[in-house]
Amino acid sequence: MHAITIPEPGGPEALVWAEVPDPVPGDGEVLVEVVAGAVNRADVLQRQGFYDPPPGASPYPGLECAGRIVALGPGVTGWAVGDAVCALLSGGGYAEKVAVPVGQLLPVPDGVELTVAAALPEVTATVWSNVFMVAHLRPGETVLIHGGSSGIGTMAIQLAKAVGARVAVTAGSPEKLARCAELGADILINYREQDFVEEVRENTAGAGADVILDIVGAKYLDRNVQALAVNGRLAIIGLQGGVKGELNLGALLAKRAAVTATSLRGRPLAEKAAIVAAVREHVWPLIADGVVRPVVDRTVPMADAAEAHRVLESSTHVGKVLLITPNA
């Protein structure tokens, strides 16, 4: 098969489409013939040499894919060769085939094209696990979503609205904010021109946000705490703005607030399986009913993954960028 390899860390040109050995499914795994993968910020970090795959994972980038099962490993039940699936991965999505633990498989939702389904596993698992399983967003609460036009953001907006929450978003242009509004965002904040702390307070009668989903990290830490409501929950899932920040514990105590930080890729198989099962139970029906939909900015041939990375790093996209294999 062919896969995107990284002979040496570097810029987008470091991604090389090369012939590599086929993976072999182990106990409790299936082999998926990939028709599409999706690009995530973690892939960029891996390409740059800053984010190695977990032990035992595929060396190739790619944290999600869609395709068809072509072989079953020992002990697999409940799935069959030919099933159309999408999958959460620890790596290997930038390839024509990938071995996947059965606990990380999902059926393709009704009404979603197979290639488009590659846009779903990572964002749905990330949003559901952080916003709902950890931060426990409830109907009537306000959630602030940083990077509202990103793949994570576009899914978080829709899921929050689906449960009856009020949604505030930050984005860097009027065009991106308009797209967020189309998805249901109520409070639109241009972070280049507005202070999100002030905007959130003004639009919540001074109360603040009950939940904040943050992809920025250190740069926003202090202001995120300022923007939290009493009993608020800050969920940090990205570090685009740095890894070290100063936390005012007095402000946190005064608000009886909580800060959590999670990653998905390195979690044990059992934890990932529990998250995927929750996504299938709670999110998949919303997608099948058309309440929630994947947002795809563009598709690129997988052999041209470098171009897809340039798009992601330019931050001109809204939603997901997909890589299409010759199997599609």
Side-chain angles (χ1 to χ4, degrees):
M1 71 168 190
H2 284 78
I4 291 291
T5 63
I6 309 173
E8 295 289 340
E13 69 282 354
L15 301 173
V16 178
W17 184 244
E19 190 168 354
V20 298
D22 283 15
V24 177
D27 291 348
E29 294 182 337
V30 304
L31 186 64
V32 173
E33 182 181 68
V34 177
V35 301
V39 181
N40 290 281
R41 292 284 175 183
D43 306 332
V44 174
L45 292 174
Q46 181 174 339
R47 187 204 77 216
Q48 293 170 336
F50 300 134
Y51 194 9
D52 292 335
S58 169
Y60 316 123
L63 301 183
E64 57 193 333
C65 73
R68 300 177 184 85
I69 295 175
V70 292
L72 306 178
V76 172
T77 60
W79 299 93
V81 170
D83 284 349
V85 296
C86 53
L88 181 70
L89 308 171
S90 298
Y94 288 24
E96 293 183 304
K97 294 178 183 176
V98 63
V100 184
V102 291
Q104 292 165 219
L105 286 174
L106 288 156
V108 174
D110 293 342
V112 177
E113 295 179 14
L114 181 55
T115 53
V116 174
L120 290 170
E122 176 74 11
V123 294
T124 55
T126 297
V127 172
W128 191 262
S129 63
N130 284 281
V131 176
F132 299 96
M133 297 173 72
V134 173
H136 303 291
L137 180 67
R138 294 182 288 267
E141 291 190 322
T142 297
V143 57
L144 169 61
I145 300 164
H146 288 300
S149 62
S150 66
I152 293 290
T154 54
M155 179 56 62
I157 292 168
Q158 295 178 82
L159 288 177
K161 293 299 293 185
V163 302
R166 191 178 186 209
V167 177
V169 298
T170 63
S173 72
E175 294 76 17
K176 287 185 175 183
L177 289 172
R179 294 291 300 276
C180 292
E182 291 171 4
L183 294 170
D186 304 289
I187 303 166
L188 309 175
I189 305 166
N190 186 329
Y191 68 81
R192 300 183 191 277
E193 301 175 356
Q194 297 169 290
D195 183 337
F196 70 80
V197 178
E198 294 180 1
E199 294 298 322
V200 168
R201 286 175 175 170
E202 182 177 330
N203 284 277
T204 58
D210 301 288
V211 173
I212 298 177
L213 184 65
D214 179 48
I215 61 172
V216 178
K219 182 180 177 180
Y220 276 7
L221 181 58
D222 181 64
R223 287 198 291 155
N224 277 332
V225 172
Q226 293 177 41
L228 281 175
V230 172
N231 296 315
R233 291 85 72 195
L234 167 61
I236 300 171
I237 60 169
L239 301 171
Q240 294 179 29
V243 300
K244 293 183 179 181
E246 186 170 306
L247 177 61
N248 185 336
L249 293 176
L252 205 64
L253 282 168
K255 293 185 175 184
R256 302 185 296 280
V259 178
T260 61
T262 71
S263 63
L264 188 58
R265 187 181 195 183
R267 290 190 185 215
L269 292 179
E271 290 187 19
K272 288 184 181 179
I275 292 169
V276 168
V279 165
R280 184 171 181 177
E281 177 183 356
H282 297 286
V283 180
W284 253 225
L286 296 173
I287 297 173
D289 290 343
V291 175
V292 172
R293 60 182 176 85
V295 178
V296 176
D297 186 274
R298 70 191 73 187
T299 62
V300 178
M302 188 171 285
D304 297 331
E307 176 58 26
H309 275 223
R310 291 186 185 100
V311 170
L312 201 74
E313 290 181 283
S314 72
S315 293
T316 57
H317 63 294
V318 173
K320 301 287 285 189
V321 177
L322 300 185
L323 300 171
I324 308 301
T325 78
N327 301 322

